């Protein structure tokens, strides 16, 4: 059974009181659940959150399913999101994505067998002057080449 | 030449923190603002000719004056959901000059008599959010936010709201839905947010750059601000330049600045001396300009409208002749199809269909009549939906197929790109 940590429960209580309506706390609370649930939001964690927040499950599912930053299925420990929008594509983002998928033996949007990595193609991340670029978990990595991106990821995998 | 008004202190690290910001004149304009009546500030902003810097270009002072003259609680929302492909100027502003935005917001909130504001930041902008959170705390600690600010009798609270990945939340009513804790679907207008916005209350939504510009308009006066730019496009504008240039980045130039100068002077010219092929002048929703058109383009609202495109968010995407236009349209349309909120049929179905058709051309399965079909569908997607996303997908489609028709026809006929090999990607 999924449960938030005590710290997580306090966070939810604070967020519920922070905005003009309780409903506005759904996005921040889903982020918290995702953080404490290995990077994704499971159906059971939605039921749990609904009880904790005293809000209908349908409201939480509405938000969960609309926004792309909530993962509805498990993701790798490293969630590598390569921008595949126009400026990045002009400068080799798709070749970069292909290279990473091949190197780490994983299909786009899927989780690697060892659960360590997911590579996703995402829309513009607002860093077009440093194209091509990727986001790994919370951080941006910019001005990439296939080689430099591979090195960054390998470094992080070894560090884990 | 660059005119550094909003970006003057971008390179100074201390400008990001309250002490350094104050040393460089920060929060002095707020004091000045409190010596003025709210109507005087609104009039000054109106007189400055400032137009919304997020994309729509609506006159800011006029937007503010739509608020009802009554005691209803009104909200100020700062639109920091920067998502238009090619745009990154607001991210830089939040990272480099967070207090400049906060000061501009307090002044604007005072002008419209709003006790509460939110900065709605796109979810991916983790680092800017951290910088803003710290700056907000500093501003509270220094008494620039909270009760009776600087003894003015004006109370104001400000908070940050983190989005969760949806382009449509940059549309002001979509943003309001999102802030209300719902899916970010736009609402039918009228009523406009100034009458009935966040939680049904009067609400003003302004872009990051717009709100920061307010500070400079109040500091220097409308007349000084109008010295930059043209009659109908006053002031300076931040342009996010990306693509095949030597020095991509954010540049602040007066509106009316020649596009070729921006490319050659500020951006150091085309990368590897390549030949200019086309420029998308205002984010991926703006119809593309051919190299020939670029020569006579000045970066202001009226010139770009006249060229059949738009200034949009000021995202300039520069393309050299190695780019295949059929491929670029496919990438663009994938985005709009992905980001359509699904509410209106012409958009939900239309974005999917045009993306499918262009994809089939790229896959070598195109038919000659597909080009006409694309045009027909795009025409039918315009002006028929609650928000502008459908138009934002249709307009670049028409631009690409009209201006680079030969490339589309070649691709259909030969089953390959006229420009280069377009590989199928995973």
């Amino acid at each position: 059974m999924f449960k938030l940590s005590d710290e997580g429960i306090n966070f939810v209580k604070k967020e519920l009181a922070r905005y003009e309506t309780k409903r506005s706390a759904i996005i921040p609370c889903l982020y918290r659940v995702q953080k404490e649930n290995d990077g994704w939001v499971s159906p059971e964690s939605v039921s749990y959150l609904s009880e904790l927040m005293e809000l209908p499950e349908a409201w939480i599912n509405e938000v969960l399913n609309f926004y792309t930053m909530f993962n509805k299925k498990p993701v790798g420990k490293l969630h590598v999101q390569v921008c595949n929008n126009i400026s990045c594509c002009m400068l080799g983002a798709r070749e970069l994505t292909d290279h990473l998928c091949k190197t780490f033996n994983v299909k786009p949007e899927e989780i690697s067998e060892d659960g360590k990595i997911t590579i996703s193609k995402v829309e513009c991340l607002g860093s077009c002057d440093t194209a091509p670029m990727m986001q790994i978990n919370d951080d941006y990595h910019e001005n990439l080449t296939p080689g430099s991106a591979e090195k960054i990821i390998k470094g992080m995998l070894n560090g884990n | 030449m660059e005119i550094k008004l909003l970006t003057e202190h971008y390179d100074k690290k201390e400008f990001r923190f309250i002490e350094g910001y104050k040393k460089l004149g920060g929060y002095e304009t707020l004091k000045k603002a409190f010596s003025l009546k709210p109507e005087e500030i609104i009039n000054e902003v109106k007189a400055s000719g400032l137009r919304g810097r997020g994309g729509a270009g609506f006159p800011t002072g006029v937007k503010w004056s739509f608020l009802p003259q009554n005691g209803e609680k009104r909200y100020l929302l700062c639109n920091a959901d920067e998502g238009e492909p090619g745009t990154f100027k607001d991210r830089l502003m939040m990272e480099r000059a967070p207090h400049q935005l906060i000061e501009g917001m307090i002044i604007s909130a005072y002008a419209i008599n709003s006790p509460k504001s939110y900065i709605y930041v796109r979810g991916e902008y983790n680092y800017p959010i951290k910088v803003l959170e710290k700056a907000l705390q500093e501003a509270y600690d220094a008494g620039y936010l909270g009760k009776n600010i600087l003894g003015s009798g004006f109370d104001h609270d400000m908070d940050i709201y983190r989005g969760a990945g949806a382009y449509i939340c940059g549309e002001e009513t979509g943003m309001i839905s999102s802030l209300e804790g719902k899916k970010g679907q736009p609402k039918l207008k009228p009523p406009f947010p100034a009458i009935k916005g966040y939680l049904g209350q009067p609400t003003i939504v302004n872009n990051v750059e717009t709100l920061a510009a307010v500070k400079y308009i109040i500091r220097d006066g409308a007349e000084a601000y109008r010295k930059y730019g043209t009659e109908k496009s006053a002031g300076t504008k931040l342009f996010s330049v990306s693509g095949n240039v030597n020095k991509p980045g954010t540049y602040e130039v007066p509106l009316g600045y020649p596009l070729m100068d921006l490319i050659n002077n500020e951006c150091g010219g085309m990368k590897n001396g390549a030949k200019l092929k086309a420029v998308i002048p205002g984010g991926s929703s703006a119809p593309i300009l051919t190299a020939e058109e670029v020569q006579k383009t000045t970066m202001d609202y009226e010139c770009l409208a006249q060229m059949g495109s738009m200034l949009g968010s000021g995202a300039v995407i520069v393309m050299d002749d190695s780019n295949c236009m059929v491929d670029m349209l496919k990438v663009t349309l994938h985005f709009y199809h992905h980001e359509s909120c699904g509410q209106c049929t012409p958009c939900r179905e239309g974005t999917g269909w045009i993306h499918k058709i262009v994809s089939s051309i790229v896959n070598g399965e195109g038919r000659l009549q597909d080009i006409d079909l694309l045009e027909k569908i795009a025409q039918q997607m315009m002006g028929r939906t609650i928000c502008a996303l459908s138009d934002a997908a249709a307009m670049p489609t028409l631009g690409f197929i009209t201006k680079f028709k030969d490339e589309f026809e070649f691709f259909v006929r030969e089953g390959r790109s006229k420009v280069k090999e377009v590989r199928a990607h995973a």
Side-chain angles (χ1 to χ4, degrees):
Chain A
M1 253 305 276
F2 173 80
K3 256 187 85 126
L4 280 171
S5 63
D6 289 347
E7 204 190 315
I9 291 169
N10 281 335
F11 174 87
V12 170
K13 283 184 182 152
K14 259 169 77 182
E15 289 296 307
L16 281 168
R18 177 172 170 180
Y19 308 101
E20 315 284 280
T21 62
K22 281 171 70 180
R23 197 169 181 173
S24 297
I26 295 175
I27 287 182
C29 292
L30 276 172
Y31 273 124
R32 183 76 197 198
V33 166
Q34 180 157 289
K35 193 175 156 195
E36 292 198 19
N37 192 48
D38 297 324
W40 73 294
V41 182
S42 61
E44 64 158 28
S45 68
V46 171
S47 311
Y48 168 80
L49 194 60
S50 154
E51 262 180 52
L52 185 64
M53 295 181 79
E54 294 177 344
L55 293 177
E57 253 184 81
W59 286 9
I60 297 173
N61 276 317
E62 169 186 332
V63 171
L64 174 68
N65 290 308
F66 188 79
Y67 298 92
T68 54
M69 287 180 69
F70 298 124
N71 301 311
K72 271 74 78 181
K73 56 180 191 183
V75 290
K77 220 168 174 167
L78 289 187
H79 190 193
V80 179
Q81 305 183 69
V82 188
C83 173
N84 266 235
N85 211 295
I86 191 159
S87 300
C88 282
C89 279
M90 284 168 63
L91 295 163
R94 288 173 295 185
E95 291 75 11
L96 174 79
T97 316
D98 290 350
H99 175 80
L100 295 179
C101 287
K102 207 173 139 202
T103 306
F104 297 101
N105 193 25
V106 60
K107 286 196 185 116
E109 330 298 332
E110 285 181 12
I111 188 167
S112 63
E113 262 176 46
D114 58 9
K116 281 188 179 161
I117 186 167
T118 297
I119 297 169
S120 305
K121 296 187 280 186
V122 297
E123 296 301 347
C124 187
L125 291 170
S127 191
C128 323
D129 54 338
T130 59
M133 60 80 63
M134 64 183 174
Q135 179 175 7
I136 303 182
N137 299 343
D138 282 346
D139 299 317
Y140 279 18
H141 300 268
E142 302 165 318
N143 293 310
L144 301 170
T145 62
S148 72
E150 179 186 332
K151 210 171 139 191
I152 291 166
I153 296 169
K154 279 189 172 155
M156 293 176 86
L157 285 172
N158 292 335
N160 282 342
Chain B
M1 217 182 63
E2 271 199 278
I3 299 287
K4 295 197 171 187
L5 198 61
L6 277 67
T7 56
E8 185 185 356
H9 301 299
Y10 266 27
D11 295 335
K12 301 189 183 92
K13 205 167 176 199
E14 73 260 32
F15 198 65
R16 300 169 203 186
F17 309 103
I18 198 158
E19 284 311 317
Y21 181 71
K22 279 170 71 179
K23 230 181 266 170
L24 292 160
Y27 290 111
E28 287 302 317
T29 311
L30 181 61
K31 288 179 195 156
K32 182 181 176 185
F34 285 144
S35 73
L36 302 168
K37 289 199 191 90
E39 309 86 77
E40 290 177 300
I41 296 175
I42 296 179
N43 286 336
E44 202 68 18
V45 172
K46 265 190 196 165
S48 75
L50 175 67
R51 294 169 64 166
R53 301 294 194 230
F58 194 80
T60 307
V62 177
K63 196 184 217 181
W64 290 1
S65 60
F66 289 156
L67 285 166
Q69 303 296 319
N70 60 25
E72 273 186 274
K73 182 175 183 181
R74 61 268 310 261
Y75 292 93
L76 174 66
L77 304 186
C78 169
N79 188 340
D81 190 59
E82 187 171 57
E84 179 70 22
T87 319
F88 46 87
K89 65 182 176 79
D90 295 339
R91 180 168 68 93
L92 215 64
M93 172 96 67
M94 292 185 276
E95 289 178 2
R96 305 268 178 100
H99 283 286
Q100 175 173 294
L101 169 62
I102 293 170
E103 186 176 5
M105 282 181 70
I106 306 169
I107 296 167
S108 305
Y110 171 69
I112 63 166
N113 192 23
S114 162
K116 177 90 201 194
S117 60
Y118 286 100
I119 309 174
Y120 185 105
V121 191
R122 65 178 293 184
E124 293 88 346
Y125 280 1
N126 242 296
Y127 177 65
I129 289 172
K130 279 188 194 146
V131 177
L132 275 177
E133 278 172 347
K134 182 173 163 52
L136 212 55
Q137 191 54 54
E138 285 179 334
Y140 265 105
D141 292 345
Y144 296 125
L145 284 168
K147 294 258 174 263
N148 190 21
I149 301 167
L150 302 175
S152 63
F154 177 65
D155 303 338
H156 189 75
D157 281 306
M158 193 180 288
D159 204 348
I160 297 164
Y161 196 79
R162 183 184 176 197
Y167 169 70
I168 196 60
C169 294
E171 199 278 344
E172 55 183 15
T173 57
M175 173 168 295
I176 288 167
S177 298
S178 179
L179 190 61
E180 287 168 345
K182 304 170 190 163
K183 53 186 167 185
Q185 288 187 324
K187 302 176 189 199
L188 199 60
K189 291 178 275 196
F192 287 91
I195 308 295
K196 210 170 173 307
Y198 177 52
L199 302 173
Q201 300 295 115
T203 303
I204 293 293
V205 186
N206 287 138
N207 170 259
V208 170
E209 185 186 345
T210 311
L211 289 163
V214 167
K215 174 195 151 153
Y216 293 91
I217 289 162
I218 299 308
R219 189 189 72 176
D220 305 336
E223 209 178 308
Y225 188 74
R226 286 204 85 106
K227 274 201 308 209
Y228 307 115
T230 69
E231 178 63 30
K232 286 184 180 147
S233 303
T236 62
K237 172 89 189 81
L238 303 184
F239 289 102
S240 317
V241 190
S242 63
N244 306 118
V245 290
N246 278 315
K247 288 190 290 176
T250 299
Y251 299 99
E252 183 176 15
V253 294
L255 283 161
Y257 196 66
L259 179 49
M260 277 314 290
D261 287 358
L262 182 64
I263 294 170
N264 286 328
N265 303 344
E266 275 66 39
C267 301
M270 298 298 292
K271 203 168 181 180
N272 303 324
K275 195 167 164 238
L276 175 70
K277 181 172 189 175
V279 174
I280 298 173
S284 72
S285 310
I288 197 162
L289 303 172
T290 61
E292 201 181 310
E293 289 172 312
V294 171
Q295 307 299 325
K296 45 187 185 196
T297 299
T298 54
M299 297 303 281
D300 49 77
Y301 298 100
E302 57 273 27
C303 176
L304 283 159
Q306 208 180 6
M307 315 274 305
S309 187
M310 59 183 188
L311 188 75
S313 60
V316 178
I317 304 170
V318 184
M319 299 176 172
D320 68 20
D321 60 1
S322 70
N323 291 288
C324 167
M325 292 299 154
V326 186
D327 183 37
M328 287 297 113
L329 179 59
K330 180 188 144 187
V331 171
T332 304
L333 292 180
H334 180 273
F335 171 76
Y336 291 103
H337 178 43
H338 182 263
E339 299 299 334
S340 172
C341 83
Q343 197 173 197
C344 311
T345 313
C347 177
R348 183 186 62 241
E349 301 300 321
T351 51
W353 273 108
I354 53 179
H355 175 246
K356 258 187 211 159
I357 293 168
V358 177
S359 298
S360 77
I361 297 177
V362 170
N363 292 336
E365 295 154 4
R367 307 164 307 167
L368 220 43
Q369 63 264 40
D370 285 342
I371 302 169
D372 292 335
L373 186 59
L374 271 175
E375 194 176 334
K376 199 172 149 195
I377 298 174
Q379 294 285 8
Q380 288 171 350
M381 286 167 65
M382 300 213 291
R384 290 182 160 86
T385 50
I386 289 173
C387 85
L389 192 143
S390 189
D391 295 69
M395 289 186 302
T397 304
L398 293 171
F400 271 99
I401 56 176
T402 313
K403 292 177 183 174
F404 296 95
K405 198 158 202 166
D406 59 319
E407 281 191 38
F408 283 82
E409 287 171 350
F410 184 96
F411 218 132
V412 167
R413 241 187 359 254
E414 308 285 330
R416 65 185 167 89
S417 171
K418 192 178 176 187
V419 182
K420 62 172 179 186
E421 191 190 344
V422 177
R423 294 193 300 128
H425 294 274

